[in-house]
Amino acid sequence: MAKVQYARINQNGEIVLPAHLSAALGISPGDEIRVEENDNGLHLHPSVHTLKRVYVEVTNKCNLKCKTCIRNVWDVKYGYMPGETFERLLSGLEVAPNKPEIFFGGYGEPISHPNILDMIARAKEKGHRVSLITNGILLTQSVIQRFIELNLDMIWVSLDGASPECYADVRLGDSLPVVLENLSQLRTLKYQKFGGSNWSGQPKLGIAFVAMRRNIHNLDEVIRLGTRLGAVEFSISNVLAHNTELLNENLYMRSLDLVAGQEVRPKVHMPLMDIQPETMKALTSVMKGFYRLQLTGSPLNRNTDQCPFVERGSMAVRWDGKVSPCLPLLYTHKHFLDDRERTSNEYFVGDIHEQDLFHIWEDASYKALRKRLQDFDFSPCTFCNSCEMANENREDCFGNVHPTCGGCLWARGLIRCP
């Protein structure tokens, strides 16, 4: 049971948080944080100026050609992050007041980088929490052994099906038995090292699943399979439709409309209830309605209007050293917003070859951008999508300029990254 914690109100009517909660939220004296009202009180957001995670794309090359991948609709230069660039990245974080997590991920397969183990070792030596996402094919016994020795904190594995047919339908290969054998090896080697349950020791295992019409029926089996293999987290995302084939696969066309008119819709307060045949039809009918649905006081189908990358205090570094506020802005690419094609143009806030990474994070213009992203005063392109401005992220009808994020499906909670 979670420990009950309290803040106090001082003589000026100001909320004073306990020091450990301030540290967890990344709040320092003088910081301004977003306060959001809800039906039962206030929601305090973390500071957008505390760097907590750096996504590091060590390569944009991959050993698979998945039909869901952005590389099907781009024309870019491919490469591996040089060791010198990674060292600049690490040295640029030495002046940071806290050690942000290093998350090896992006638009390539991190384990395919010839020096990935050395990079993990260097990041751990510097005191960083280190995570990694992989398709799992290169997760051999020797690599797993090194991950355990290096005390890698978390490994995410993309798994879009629990059957060979379902997996191959998305990943375009017959590698599921290899991936599952590798994950079984991870469980076995962790047990030999740490003993105890599947969840003992590091690296912890997470499963990332991209949901589509063709594989959503397999989600429950993926979760059961992942649980047997020791997964402690599951990240479920919709597919980002890069072409008309994927547009027909997505599961959120109607959900795009749910973000509009929240304030005028009736509230429906739901209790916890057994999921069984007698309740499923009624629950499904209510969930499909245009209501503000709440389960035990927590809103389910609310308009998020939040950049998840800003909220978690993160930034992204491309393999060539260019720095972006988020993963989606690392490359120019096309995707569908409703049934219209939209171009998302890449956007950078710096280059670690020209400036230290933490100095980029602290730059006044980047701070102003994070504040603008947290305020999220962008035109609602995801459900309006009626003028030519919605075709790109260059400008919007509210007067915002590049990057305009009103059409970002990550900010609407439809697309997720671990």
Side-chain angles (χ1 to χ4, degrees):
M1 186 173 181
K3 180 182 178 182
V4 176
Q5 302 181 85
Y6 292 92
R8 62 181 178 84
I9 310 299
N10 66 15
Q11 62 271 23
N12 298 319
E14 299 165 333
I15 298 174
V16 180
L17 296 177
H20 68 281
L21 286 182
S22 296
L25 290 170
I27 299 172
S28 300
D31 279 351
E32 181 181 61
I33 63 171
R34 179 180 173 184
V35 179
E36 185 178 3
E37 291 186 68
N38 56 40
D39 291 343
N40 301 312
L42 298 175
H43 174 70
L44 302 182
H45 291 256
S47 170
V48 297
H49 301 313
T50 299
L51 180 58
K52 297 179 181 178
R53 173 183 285 184
V54 180
Y55 288 96
V56 182
E57 182 192 65
V58 292
T59 182
N60 56 0
K61 295 184 177 182
C62 189
N63 55 324
L64 289 180
K65 294 183 179 179
C66 306
K67 62 176 59 179
T68 58
C69 189
I70 190 178
R71 62 176 28 82
N72 295 314
V73 292
W74 71 6
D75 181 18
V76 303
K77 179 181 178 181
Y78 289 91
Y80 295 102
M81 179 177 284
E84 298 80 5
T85 300
F86 185 68
E87 286 298 323
R88 280 195 58 84
L89 185 153
L90 290 179
S91 63
L93 294 174
E94 290 180 353
V95 296
N98 60 296
K99 295 286 186 181
E101 176 186 10
I102 301 296
F103 192 110
F104 290 104
Y107 293 98
E109 170 51 54
I111 302 181
S112 70
H113 194 292
N115 298 323
I116 186 61
L117 295 175
D118 293 334
M119 290 175 162
I120 294 172
R122 289 289 294 141
K124 293 298 292 187
E125 287 172 9
K126 294 285 187 177
H128 295 276
R129 172 183 168 84
V130 181
S131 301
L132 177 146
I133 187 167
T134 174
N135 57 44
I137 294 174
L138 302 179
L139 201 59
T140 62
Q141 180 175 346
S142 60
V143 169
I144 294 170
Q145 192 65 57
R146 284 293 290 146
F147 283 172
I148 293 173
E149 293 170 358
L150 292 171
N151 201 32
L152 179 68
D153 293 275
M154 186 85 182
I155 180 168
W156 287 90
V157 177
S158 298
L159 197 62
D160 297 327
S163 67
E165 297 78 17
C166 193
Y167 178 92
D169 199 28
V170 178
R171 296 284 164 182
L172 302 182
D174 57 355
S175 302
L176 181 63
V178 174
V179 175
L180 297 183
E181 175 58 31
N182 291 344
L183 293 182
S184 295
Q185 194 70 242
L186 171 64
R187 180 184 57 186
T188 298
L189 292 174
K190 284 175 59 180
Y191 179 80
Q192 293 174 353
K193 172 73 174 180
F194 303 106
S197 68
N198 287 345
W199 302 275
S200 298
Q202 293 181 178
K204 304 297 185 185
L205 174 63
I207 300 295
F209 180 90
V210 177
M212 298 183 288
R213 293 185 184 276
R214 68 177 61 201
N215 71 346
I216 189 63
H217 68 279
N218 217 212
L219 174 59
D220 59 340
E221 181 56 33
V222 167
I223 293 176
R224 285 197 294 268
L225 176 61
T227 301
R228 290 197 298 270
L229 292 168
V232 297
E233 285 189 57
F234 294 85
S235 177
I236 316 301
S237 175
N238 283 298
V239 67
L240 184 65
H242 299 302
N243 53 43
T244 53
E245 180 185 0
L246 290 178
L247 182 63
N248 294 327
E249 288 286 345
N250 79 38
L251 300 167
Y252 53 85
M253 290 292 281
R254 188 170 179 276
S255 297
L256 289 170
D257 295 330
L258 293 177
V259 299
Q262 286 280 335
E263 68 281 353
V264 299
R265 292 178 181 172
K267 294 180 184 178
V268 178
H269 300 273
M270 296 293 297
L272 289 175
M273 190 177 293
D274 291 344
I275 303 299
Q276 54 192 13
E278 293 83 355
T279 60
M280 281 301 296
K281 185 176 181 180
L283 289 173
T284 300
S285 178
V286 171
M287 292 185 72
K288 286 169 63 178
F290 283 77
Y291 308 114
R292 284 181 288 170
L293 186 61
Q294 296 196 348
L295 180 64
T296 64
S298 297
L300 295 182
N301 54 348
R302 67 183 294 270
N303 178 3
T304 53
D305 278 350
Q306 294 175 8
C307 171
F309 298 96
V310 165
E311 289 292 312
R312 65 174 53 141
S314 66
M315 66 196 311
V317 183
R318 205 165 73 172
W319 70 269
D320 58 2
K322 293 186 180 298
V323 182
S324 177
C326 64
L327 291 174
L329 292 178
L330 283 178
Y331 295 95
T332 296
H333 62 279
K334 296 181 182 295
H335 66 89
F336 279 87
L337 184 59
D338 201 348
D339 58 354
R340 293 177 60 179
E341 191 174 62
R342 175 180 170 89
T343 299
S344 177
N345 297 282
E346 63 189 20
Y347 181 84
F348 303 109
V349 292
D351 188 320
I352 59 177
H353 296 110
E354 300 171 0
Q355 193 177 11
D356 287 344
L357 186 56
F358 191 69
H359 291 154
I360 294 173
W361 175 261
E362 290 284 277
D363 183 82
S365 60
Y366 189 12
K367 284 187 172 182
L369 174 61
R370 293 198 296 273
K371 178 65 165 57
R372 182 158 66 98
L373 287 167
Q374 188 170 58
D375 292 344
F376 214 81
D377 188 22
F378 298 103
S379 57
C381 296
T382 48
F383 62 85
C384 178
N385 198 22
S386 59
C387 73
E388 63 182 17
M389 286 186 177
N391 294 339
E392 292 192 73
N393 64 340
R394 295 285 190 188
E395 58 180 340
D396 67 23
C397 59
F398 284 12
N400 294 297
V401 295
H402 191 212
T404 56
C405 301
C408 177
L409 299 181
W410 279 263
R412 297 298 185 185
L414 298 169
I415 309 294
R416 298 177 57 86
C417 294

